[in-house]
Amino acid sequence: MTGPEERSAPATDRSPWNWLLLIPIVLPLLTFLFNADGPRILGFPRFYWLQLAFIIVGVSVTTLVYQLTKKR
């Protein structure tokens, strides 16, 4: 049996770095970014290449937060 003195506090994953994960959530919600046809990149309007940019930002931020918060 374990007594109260043998129990440890539950481990939490609360880190200030986790706030960076809001960037890939909020960024695509900013609709004024999509409100134009140009500039075009390789003939693709802004909407299409911006979606790809959001994916790259999301993967980058998630990787950064993971690297900064993983336990060593």
Side-chain angles (χ1 to χ4, degrees), residues 1-8:
M1 227 177 207
T2 61
E5 64 279 347
E6 295 178 16
R7 292 186 204 143
S8 62

Side-chain angles (χ1 to χ4, degrees), residues 10-48:
T12 63
D13 60 349
R14 293 183 184 165
S15 170
W17 294 110
N18 290 341
W19 286 103
L20 288 176
L21 294 172
L22 286 175
I23 293 171
I25 294 171
V26 173
L27 193 61
L29 297 175
L30 302 175
T31 56
F32 63 87
L33 294 174
F34 303 105
N35 195 20
D37 187 39
R40 289 179 170 257
I41 297 179
L42 299 173
F44 291 102
R46 179 187 300 189
F47 176 80
Y48 294 108

Side-chain angles (χ1 to χ4, degrees), residues 47-72:
F47 176 80
Y48 294 108
W49 60 261
L50 205 54
Q51 295 299 309
L52 293 174
F54 290 155
I55 292 169
I56 293 168
V57 168
V59 169
S60 300
V61 170
T62 303
T63 302
L64 177 68
V65 170
Y66 171 72
Q67 293 296 327
L68 291 171
T69 59
K70 71 179 178 181
K71 299 203 183 342
R72 305 220 182 261

